[in-house]
Amino acid sequence: MPDFLSFISEILWGSVMIYLLLGCGIWFTWRTGYIQFRYIRQFSKSLKRSLKPGDGGLTSFQVLCISLAARVGSGNLAGVALAITVGGPGAVFWMWVAAIIGMASSFAECSLAQLYKERDASGQFRGGPAWYMTRGLGMRWMGVLFSLFLLLAYGLIFNIVQANSTAHALKYAFDIPRSVTGVVMAFLALLVIMRGLKGVARLSQWLVPLMALVWVVTCLLISLWHIVEMPAIINMIIRSAFGWQEAAAGAVGYSVSQAITSGFQRSMFSNEAGMGSTPNAAAAAASFPPHPAAQGIVQMIGVLIDTIVICSASAMVVLLAGHGTRTTGYDGIQLIQHAMSVLVGHWGASFVALVMVMFAFTSIVANYVYAENNLIFLRCNKPWAIWLLRIGTLLMVVMGSQLSLPVVWQLADVIMALMAITNLSAILLLSPVVKIIALDYLRQRKLGVTPVFDPDYYPEIARQLAPESWDQPPRQ
């Protein structure tokens, strides 16, 4: 099985995904007028007046925290360490490149999710790739296919990854049996997911900023303590990314292709740009300004926070400990635990384990929210189906704590590629709509007015939208 999964992953990532991700990101960067560079200053404005939920939706801040909860998980710790193990220090550089380019793809998919959102039976906004595939492209079959991929990924496989990394971290730091970790995490996750979307949102808006701040500040202080070594670390990352690292530095075993592939894989698993997961959260917002581009900008910044800030913090810890230039007996989460122990002492492994618990737990509950959202799209949101999904999610958490790491990551890579291929194909087909959204937002900003999306200006788009999804508030 591991050999078969490795073969499939190499085909998908070596022959399809790298070019599709690059092409899609570059395309939307151009089509939206270099959105990730021009609109970054609008981030705070897109979160303005977001402390109180609007009618039928969550706040922009709550939605950002849910998406960060799903993004910020084992990929930011174990994933970064794994990328460096496989691709060398140069993988970090390609993670940065993938994130910067992927910001444009994230803007596209999240803006489309906002545009094509609709209300469920309780009045809550729902949406995501399955909705814009159905309404925007008229291809419900494509939406069904994507929903099935997402249910498999976020309801099952990705929760295995989170539980696996957490169980290994706690075993290494505290010698806690992995089975105990799995059972306890499953029980606590059940308590949260039973509170529904709004319950997960309330948890995320408090816990996610706290855990991210704790990790980044700690890594930043460590980097400042070793400030004299930082120029050499940055130089090593750049040289390794392009194959310039001298054999004497110990990177002779790494290739540029390994660095690129590993960097893109781990970046996408972490920030999820273009994969079609984040739009499920973006659609739930009652956005201010009331324009689809506002949520696109907010979620685009989420990619920046996840990869450029949090993943870079993790990478600096690994590289400062010297693990980028020599082989160690550690892998994944244990590698970063050992690196932290080298830098700060024996308490470093315990600290990483506790951070991993917070990262993984919020990811599991956010993953469930995404999966349940697509269950609603499939019209299978009966009580028995909801409980079947919950039981499946919890079983994967328990099982994930027992599985071997290579198999877990290979499964995640394959399902991640299948989701992304489906979603990226859809947003490329809808790129004329993305361009309209971006230009409409920019035009109103230049006029000095609060952007408000008015479907009446675009009759073809208006016919595709759900009734009452874009009722216009008065301009402010």
Side-chain angles (χ1 to χ4, degrees), residues 151-164 178-194 360-361 363-369 371 385-403:
L151 281 167
L152 181 61
Y154 282 83
L156 305 176
I157 294 174
F158 288 176
N159 291 325
I160 296 176
V161 174
Q162 304 298 339
N164 184 277
R178 289 186 290 171
S179 58
V180 172
T181 298
V183 170
V184 172
M185 284 191 71
F187 175 73
L188 294 176
L190 177 62
L191 296 181
V192 175
I193 64 180
M194 287 181 64
F361 181 74
S363 287
I364 288 168
V365 296
N367 288 350
Y368 172 80
V369 166
I386 296 291
W387 274 103
L388 187 63
L389 176 61
R390 290 174 179 174
I391 292 170
T393 298
L394 302 179
L395 284 176
M396 291 303 104
V397 172
V398 175
M399 289 175 55
S401 63
Q402 305 296 316
L403 296 179

Side-chain angles (χ1 to χ4, degrees), residues 106-125:
S106 182
F107 171 85
E109 62 183 355
C110 292
S111 296
L112 288 170
Q114 260 288 304
L115 179 65
Y116 291 108
K117 66 186 178 183
E118 60 184 55
R119 296 182 187 273
D120 63 15
S122 63
Q124 170 67 51
F125 283 129

Side-chain angles (χ1 to χ4, degrees), residues 79-153:
V80 172
L82 187 63
I84 294 172
T85 300
V86 175
V92 178
F93 175 84
W94 294 111
M95 286 181 70
W96 295 338
V97 172
I100 292 170
I101 294 176
M103 287 171 72
S105 300
S106 182
F107 171 85
E109 62 183 355
C110 292
S111 296
L112 288 170
Q114 260 288 304
L115 179 65
Y116 291 108
K117 66 186 178 183
E118 60 184 55
R119 296 182 187 273
D120 63 15
S122 63
Q124 170 67 51
F125 283 129
R126 297 280 182 178
W131 279 263
Y132 56 68
M133 290 169 189
T134 300
R135 291 190 172 275
L137 295 175
M139 299 180 181
R140 181 171 171 81
W141 64 267
M142 192 179 194
V144 170
L145 180 65
F146 177 85
S147 291
L148 293 175
F149 283 148
L150 188 141
L151 281 167
L152 181 61

Side-chain angles (χ1 to χ4, degrees), residues 195-206:
R195 297 173 65 87
L197 176 61
K198 292 184 178 180
V200 173
R202 284 191 290 270
L203 173 71
S204 299
Q205 73 179 355
W206 293 106

Side-chain angles (χ1 to χ4, degrees), residues 50 52-54 56-63 66 124-125 197-198 201 281 284-287:
S50 66
K52 294 182 180 180
L58 305 177
T59 69
S60 296
F61 181 68
Q62 286 177 322
V63 166
I66 290 176
Q124 170 67 51
F125 283 129
L197 176 61
K198 292 184 178 180
S287 186

Side-chain angles (χ1 to χ4, degrees), residues 247-297:
V252 67
Y254 302 124
S255 69
V256 176
S257 62
Q258 281 179 313
I260 295 174
T261 301
S262 183
F264 270 77
Q265 281 179 322
R266 300 283 69 83
S267 177
M268 189 174 190
F269 182 82
S270 177
N271 64 51
E272 303 178 3
M275 195 159 65
S277 53
T278 307
N280 290 275
S287 186
F288 185 89
H291 196 287
Q295 268 309 297
I297 293 169

